[in-house]
Structures are given as C-alpha cells and as structure tokens.
C-alpha cells in the first residue's frame, strides 16, 4: 500500500515539476512578447496536466481498494500528516512537497492567466 502511494506521489511530483518549468518558460516568453513560444508552451503544458489527472484518477481508484483503516491512514499521509514509520513519513513528506509545489504553480498560473486573457481571466470569476 505505502509503496504504491509513494510511487504515485513521486510521479505526481515529476509532472508538477514539468508544469512549473513550462509555466516559468511561458512567463519568460510573455516577458519577451514572443507569441510563437507562448502558443507552443501553452500547448506543451497540456500533456503533463493530463498526466496529473491520470495520476489523480489512479490514486482514487487505488484508495478504493484499501481497507477502511488503510484508506484513513492513506488520506492522512496524503494530507501531509506525519506517519509512524519511516515509509509513512516519506509518503507524508512527498505529499507535502507536492502540495507546496502545486500552490506555487497555482499562484504563477493566476498571474499568467490574467496576463494572457486580461478581463476574461478564469480567475476573475
């Protein structure tokens, strides 16, 4: 159980890193007013975002296979709450790292979205 969670959380981290990297490149392209790169980078972000959705789906499917007690433990670990064993703690640490990286991506995405779409920004609603 824990190994599955750790593997999925690590994959999630890798895709989040990809999204962050592409988003930073997108910001730089916007600063340069390089519209060709902007369009290309927006399209490139699509794949890691789809992969993150797939990981989320796989994680939810996997959680449903666990016993109720294991489901509760997994949910605690995925919320970053520390575990009793080193393996549990590794899962909680990775989940916490993922959450912090996701928060940074969302913050950057807010800025990028507003720059790209102005008043029509998704985040203006």
């Amino acid at each position: 159980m824990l190994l599955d969670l750790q593997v999925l959380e690590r994959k999630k981290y890798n895709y989040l890193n990809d999204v962050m990297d592409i988003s930073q490149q997108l910001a730089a392209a916007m600063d340069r007013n390089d519209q060709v790169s902007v369009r290309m980078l927006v399209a490139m972000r699509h794949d890691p975002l789809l992969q993150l959705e797939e990981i989320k789906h796989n994680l939810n499917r996997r959680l449903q296979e666990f016993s109720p007690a294991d489901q509760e433990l997994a949910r605690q670990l995925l919320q970053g709450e520390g575990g009793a064993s080193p393996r549990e703690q590794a899962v909680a640490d990775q989940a916490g790292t993922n959450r912090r990286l996701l928060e940074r991506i969302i913050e950057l995405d807010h800025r990028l979205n507003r720059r790209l779409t102005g008043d029509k920004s998704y985040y203006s609603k």
Side-chain angles (χ1 to χ4, degrees):
M1 170 195 87
L2 292 176
L3 184 59
D4 289 346
L5 294 179
Q6 191 171 17
V7 167
L8 288 171
E9 284 298 303
R10 185 64 188 171
K11 285 181 181 181
K12 184 186 221 179
Y13 176 77
N14 290 334
Y15 287 119
L16 287 169
N17 262 337
D18 289 347
V19 171
M20 179 57 109
D21 182 51
I22 294 168
S23 297
Q24 289 170 334
Q25 291 178 46
L26 179 58
M30 291 172 73
D31 289 343
R32 293 188 313 270
N33 201 24
D34 181 352
Q35 295 303 313
V36 172
S37 293
V38 167
R39 282 192 292 275
M40 180 185 71
L41 290 163
V42 166
M44 285 175 60
R45 268 183 26 146
H46 187 70
D47 186 51
L49 291 172
L50 286 177
Q51 295 297 328
L52 285 166
E53 275 298 313
E54 185 175 325
I55 288 172
K56 181 181 176 182
H57 173 75
N58 289 341
L59 185 60
N60 287 334
R61 185 175 43 90
R62 187 70 179 110
L63 286 173
Q64 292 174 359
E65 297 170 2
F66 294 165
S67 69
D70 285 345
Q71 284 180 6
E72 182 57 32
L73 173 62
R75 283 190 174 79
Q76 288 174 352
L77 296 174
L78 294 173
Q79 291 174 358
E81 296 177 20
S85 72
R87 169 94 9 120
E88 289 176 2
Q89 189 60 48
V91 172
D93 290 346
Q94 185 66 62
T97 298
N98 290 354
R99 188 175 42 265
R100 288 185 295 278
L101 180 54
L102 179 60
E103 289 169 0
R104 289 179 45 221
I105 291 168
I106 291 170
E107 180 182 315
L108 179 56
D109 191 63
H110 281 230
R111 292 193 312 262
L112 293 173
N113 189 275
R114 285 197 172 112
R115 285 177 67 187
L116 278 172
T117 61
D119 291 340
K120 296 178 183 174
S121 171
Y122 171 81
Y123 297 106
S124 295
K125 299 175 183 171

